[in-house]
Amino acid sequence: MNVQYMKRALALARIGAGQTSPNPMVGAVIVKDGRIIGEGYHAFYGGPHAEVNAIENALEDVEGAEIYVTLEPCSHYGKTPPCALKLIEKRFSKVYVAMEDPNPLVAGRGIQMLRKQGIEVEVGLLEEEARALNEVFLKYITQKKPFCVLKAAMTLDGKIATVTGESKWITSEASRAYVHQLRHELRAIMVGIGTVLADDPALTTRLEDGNGRDPVRVIVDSRLRIPLEARVLRNKSLSPTIIATTDKADPDKATALQAMENVQLIITPEKDGKVDLDYLMFVLGEQGIDSLLLEGGATLNASALESGIVDKVMMFIAPKILGGQNAPTPVGGKGIEVIEKAVQLKAMKVVPVGEDIMVEAAVVGRLLAKE
């Protein structure tokens, strides 16, 4: 039965997706005499934590109860008081923790605090599921760089457009809705200047209920070729547009862009004549951007894999065949010469999405290194 309670806590945590960044998603379930008497989750950044919400929602006194929490209760004062102290104050008998918090400010201290006060703590129940839930937080809190998801839509024969460049729409409406949910949940979206010039995208979030959060838009444009009338510069979104460029860009164009409302320039070092993506990730992390959806074309995707910034790939595959030797594929660049240097993937999952399938996998290797 313990597993079912933690599964419920994980499901509750998931409700906060897209709202808690850069904090983790956390759920909590309070059980007394074999009954669930309280539930809660971290609903938004800066708001009460899951344990506090579960206690406030409890149907009866929680003294002597057990609580199932998907992440170690915090032990420090941040935007809210320590949850570990709250559990001690309310005299819980036992705390089940799915995983220890990797945040250096916590890192086992919450568990230690509870045990010192005589509260039994069990750690590791559904830990793998808890780590998967908060993969974004785990990277960001330890490396201070965004968790990067490379997304691509393609045909069964691996084409992202026809030989004439037509790409709307390769995948189904269900897949496109799924991607807009990703835009809502991840903090930023990144494309290359080629995508902007070809499609003039808005890069906003469009969910059925209209409540989606727009991601920060990041445009990789080493020479500032972006038109001043581009939609990403002119839309009314509350989220800013960041243009990553180099010092080789036209200074007059840079001045004009910096004068625009809600537009920011990041100047990175050059790497092979392009924006240094690893440096860009460092700067974005400094700005509190914990996650990034890469919706680039073949050139940017190849650069991202080669730079080693990609953590996960999500490939949406439509039941269509386009053919064409020169039709573009998701990853361009020079390619690799020997199989042993290929990008290695693990933990692959295949999920039906409408009439398409989505293949998701974690990246464990990187593209052919520069000689």
Side-chain angles (χ1 to χ4, degrees), residues 10 51 100 105 116 128 149 170 193 217 227 235 288 311:
L10 288 165
E51 300 93 321
E100 187 175 302
L105 295 175
K116 280 186 174 180
E128 186 175 336
V149 178
I170 283 179
I193 184 58
R217 292 165 294 281
N235 60 37
D311 298 288

Side-chain angles (χ1 to χ4, degrees), residues 155 157-165 322-330:
T155 59
D157 59 336
K159 306 298 183 180
I160 61 173
T162 67
V163 291
T164 62
L322 288 177
Q325 183 175 342
N326 296 321
T329 57

Side-chain angles (χ1 to χ4, degrees), residues 53-83:
N53 284 331
I55 291 168
E56 290 183 352
N57 294 333
L59 301 175
E60 59 186 84
D61 187 3
V62 300
E63 183 174 347
E66 299 176 340
I67 186 167
Y68 293 75
V69 190
T70 59
L71 187 69
E72 176 184 359
C74 60
S75 57
H76 66 290
Y77 285 87
K79 289 186 174 294
T80 60
C83 291

Side-chain angles (χ1 to χ4, degrees), residues 4-297:
Q4 295 305 315
Y5 295 140
M6 190 61 82
K7 281 185 176 179
R8 175 58 183 165
L10 288 165
L12 288 167
R14 189 75 181 79
I15 300 173
Q19 305 298 325
T20 64
S21 171
N23 281 351
M25 294 175 278
V26 184
V29 172
I30 300 173
V31 177
K32 192 171 186 178
D33 301 326
R35 298 171 293 111
I36 294 178
I37 64 168
E39 296 183 337
Y41 64 94
H42 185 36
F44 58 92
Y45 176 68
H49 288 187
E51 300 93 321
V52 173
N53 284 331
I55 291 168
E56 290 183 352
N57 294 333
L59 301 175
E60 59 186 84
D61 187 3
V62 300
E63 183 174 347
E66 299 176 340
I67 186 167
Y68 293 75
V69 190
T70 59
L71 187 69
E72 176 184 359
C74 60
S75 57
H76 66 290
Y77 285 87
K79 289 186 174 294
T80 60
C83 291
L85 287 181
K86 188 75 171 179
L87 299 184
I88 292 168
E89 173 193 329
K90 293 296 181 178
R91 299 185 178 181
F92 280 87
S93 63
K94 186 170 183 177
V95 180
Y96 290 87
V97 176
M99 61 170 288
E100 187 175 302
D101 191 339
N103 186 341
L105 295 175
V106 186
R109 294 182 182 87
I111 293 168
Q112 186 179 33
M113 186 182 295
L114 292 168
R115 285 173 172 162
K116 280 186 174 180
Q117 295 300 316
I119 297 176
E120 186 180 355
V121 182
E122 183 175 315
V123 183
L125 183 62
L126 297 187
E127 179 175 357
E128 186 175 336
E129 291 87 341
R131 294 184 71 85
L133 174 74
N134 275 311
E135 59 189 356
V136 167
F137 174 73
L138 293 179
K139 179 180 181 181
Y140 184 70
I141 202 67
T142 55
Q143 299 184 32
K144 288 294 184 275
K145 291 182 180 180
F147 185 92
C148 180
V149 178
L150 188 160
K151 166 261 168 185
M154 71 186 81
T155 59
L156 189 59
D157 59 336
K159 306 298 183 180
I160 61 173
T162 67
V163 291
T164 62
E166 183 183 346
S167 60
K168 293 184 178 179
W169 295 103
I170 283 179
T171 50
S172 65
E173 187 174 332
S175 289
R176 298 197 295 276
Y178 195 114
V179 171
H180 279 279
Q181 182 65 32
L182 288 174
R183 290 184 180 187
H184 165 69
E185 294 181 8
L186 301 178
R187 189 69 185 90
I189 182 171
M190 185 166 79
V191 301
I193 184 58
T195 297
V196 174
L197 295 175
D199 302 333
D200 192 25
L203 302 181
T204 52
T205 297
R206 297 180 293 281
L207 299 180
E208 275 191 24
D209 60 11
N211 293 325
R213 180 181 71 171
D214 287 340
V216 174
R217 292 165 294 281
V218 181
I219 314 300
V220 179
D221 183 5
S222 61
R223 297 297 183 268
L224 289 185
R225 293 188 290 148
I226 188 168
L228 294 179
E229 63 274 12
R231 292 173 70 194
V232 289
L233 302 176
R234 299 288 182 178
N235 60 37
K236 301 300 181 183
S237 173
L238 296 177
S239 297
T241 294
I242 295 173
I243 303 175
T245 189
T246 67
D247 59 8
K248 295 295 194 304
D250 179 356
D252 292 333
K253 186 75 167 286
T255 299
L257 288 165
Q258 287 174 317
M260 298 181 76
E261 185 178 358
N262 223 19
V263 175
Q264 176 193 350
L265 254 61
I266 293 177
I267 299 176
T268 79
E270 273 195 301
K271 188 173 184 180
D272 301 320
K274 302 173 184 177
V275 166
D276 185 331
L277 294 178
D278 193 55
Y279 178 86
L280 175 60
M281 294 304 105
F282 171 77
V283 176
L284 294 178
E286 292 262 293
Q287 296 190 11
I289 294 176
D290 67 345
S291 52
L292 183 74
L293 180 63
L294 174 57
E295 289 198 41

